[in-house]
Amino acid sequence: MKAVSLKRMEGLESKLIEAYPTVDFVFTKGVSEIEEQDKQDLDILFGYDGKLDQTFLENCPNLKWIAWYSTGVNSLPLDYIVKRNILLTNGKGIHAKQMSEFIIAYILDDYKKMRTSYINQQNRYYDSKLTGTRVNGKTILFLGTGSIAQYTANIANAMNMKVTGINTNGHSVEGFCKTFALNDLSNALTEADIIVNTLPETEQTTHLITKAHFELMDESALFINVGRGTIVDESVIIEALKEKYIRHAYLDVFEKEPLNPGNELYSLDNVTITAHITGNGKENMSEATDIFSNNLAHFLNKKDLIENVVDPKQGY
């Protein structure tokens, strides 16, 4: 059994070698570094490399399982993976802790006027009358009720916020006082003070949020996107901000990344931009490897997987 990494893993490499002596591990920095012979006889690919594509997979005839260390799998050639019956797992859950902290940080940055305080600091202006707003009692709507939303919901509940969510059929989720089906999105939006997108990119979610949806939001609403930039057409979010359909947006993801320096979003004063960093964490590699290791132990014994299994037909 040969397992080839898509990242170097420092101290984790020796731990894997020691834990699984029957596995031939090959550690690389990505697809461009993998030798032709390793492509021919590898059984497992694990890690992350945005350059992994169908052409590469076509040269891996023995591949049985991709252990993807990222949560999102939309960049992978999913149709080909289905065709080849390649097993697929992801890093779902490992990003939830830091992403929940970012979401709460965005909300508090906005509600407590921290950006205004920083601007005042730069201008050497001392305004002791600056007054923020409490989040207590505010309604936060999560588009998607998966691990990121659930982890953030725990914090929001502790802050006495009203937590609501959208999922496929409106099924109840622990920590949410109310859930809506996807086809009831319009009604859900009218009740929310804060809208947070955590949805993955699928055919159903691409450009899900339209101009009409922003017009339904309260003009004081805060929109946060840490899911996928494709949830809304870029021209639509720009119009929504320019026309003040909503008060402010915090955007960490975009339709086309990296964001071009000339992008109009940079010129707007009611948007805060971060560079797709909410999922970054020093702990990610270790936690993703724990998931891989748990699955590997089961795979070696029973040839199947037990954790974070992805349905490539669905994309999650």
Side-chain angles (χ1 to χ4, degrees):
M1 182 75 66
K2 178 178 284 189
V4 177
S5 78
L6 295 163
K7 279 182 175 291
R8 294 309 304 257
M9 308 172 68
E10 299 180 349
L12 297 172
E13 296 179 4
S14 59
K15 291 182 180 180
L16 285 172
I17 292 170
E18 182 178 349
Y20 302 100
T22 62
V23 177
D24 178 15
F25 285 102
V26 178
F27 296 98
T28 78
K29 294 181 179 179
V31 295
S32 62
E33 206 178 82
I34 298 175
E35 301 289 343
E36 288 301 320
Q37 183 55 52
D38 290 329
K39 293 178 188 177
Q40 289 298 310
D41 58 8
L42 64 84
D43 300 278
I44 302 166
L45 273 173
F46 65 102
Y48 175 84
D49 184 352
K51 296 179 181 178
L52 183 63
D53 58 14
Q54 181 172 327
T55 300
F56 177 84
L57 295 183
E58 287 172 348
N59 292 311
C60 303
N62 202 45
L63 178 61
K64 301 174 182 67
W65 167 30
I66 300 172
W68 200 236
Y69 273 29
S70 176
T71 300
V73 297
N74 53 291
S75 65
L76 292 171
L78 297 177
D79 290 341
Y80 182 75
I81 289 171
V82 171
K83 180 181 177 181
R84 282 272 307 276
N85 292 315
I86 298 170
L87 298 172
L88 178 63
T89 56
N90 68 357
K92 180 182 178 182
I94 65 171
H95 305 92
K97 295 176 183 178
Q98 61 260 29
M99 291 184 76
S100 67
E101 292 176 1
F102 263 102
I103 292 166
I104 296 300
Y106 289 153
I107 294 169
L108 293 179
D109 178 70
D110 176 70
Y111 272 63
K112 303 306 178 184
K113 299 184 182 294
M114 299 305 294
R115 182 178 182 177
T116 301
S117 288
Y118 180 65
I119 293 171
N120 287 346
Q121 175 186 330
Q122 290 182 307
N123 293 328
R124 299 175 180 268
Y125 174 58
Y126 189 86
D127 182 8
S128 62
K129 295 182 179 180
L130 185 66
T131 304
T133 304
R134 291 182 182 175
V135 297
N136 174 45
K138 297 297 183 182
T139 297
I140 181 170
L141 171 67
F142 290 95
L143 308 182
T145 56
S147 58
I148 297 166
Q150 289 174 35
Y151 207 96
T152 314
N154 291 332
I155 305 172
N157 280 316
M159 298 170 75
N160 200 33
M161 300 177 74
K162 181 180 178 182
V163 180
T164 63
I166 288 279
N167 52 43
T168 305
N169 55 14
H171 63 270
S172 61
V173 180
E174 185 176 355
F176 290 71
C177 67
K178 189 175 183 180
T179 52
F180 300 81
L182 191 57
N183 59 14
D184 201 20
L185 174 60
S186 294
N187 287 330
L189 290 172
T190 62
E191 299 181 12
D193 300 297
I194 302 165
I195 300 96
V196 183
N197 176 51
T198 64
L199 287 166
E201 181 180 308
T202 67
E203 290 183 6
Q204 291 73 33
T205 63
T206 298
H207 293 174
L208 174 67
I209 304 299
T210 66
K211 175 183 176 181
H213 288 123
F214 279 108
E215 290 177 325
L216 286 171
M217 297 178 195
D218 191 280
E219 62 182 12
S220 66
L222 175 65
F223 178 72
I224 298 171
N225 191 6
V226 296
R228 288 292 180 264
T230 52
I231 192 74
V232 56
D233 183 283
E234 187 175 276
S235 64
V236 170
I237 185 67
I238 289 173
E239 180 180 359
L241 290 166
K242 290 175 70 173
E243 298 300 324
K244 304 289 195 293
Y245 297 148
I246 58 173
R247 181 174 51 79
H248 199 89
Y250 283 74
L251 305 178
D252 185 55
V253 288
F254 308 89
E255 274 204 286
K256 295 180 180 179
E257 298 182 5
L259 202 62
N260 188 294
N263 194 291
E264 191 172 3
L265 284 167
Y266 281 122
S267 66
L268 302 179
D269 61 6
N270 58 343
V271 61
T272 300
I273 293 169
T274 51
H276 205 150
I277 61 172
T278 57
N280 296 350
K282 294 181 179 179
E283 306 82 2
N284 287 4
M285 180 66 76
S286 177
E287 292 184 3
T289 302
D290 286 342
I291 294 171
F292 170 61
S293 182
N294 291 339
N295 272 326
L296 181 58
H298 204 77
F299 186 75
L300 292 173
N301 290 322
K302 298 188 177 181
K303 303 303 180 186
D304 63 358
L305 305 165
I306 57 173
E307 191 173 353
N308 282 20
V309 178
V310 173
D311 180 355
K313 293 180 181 178
Q314 299 292 330
Y316 56 90

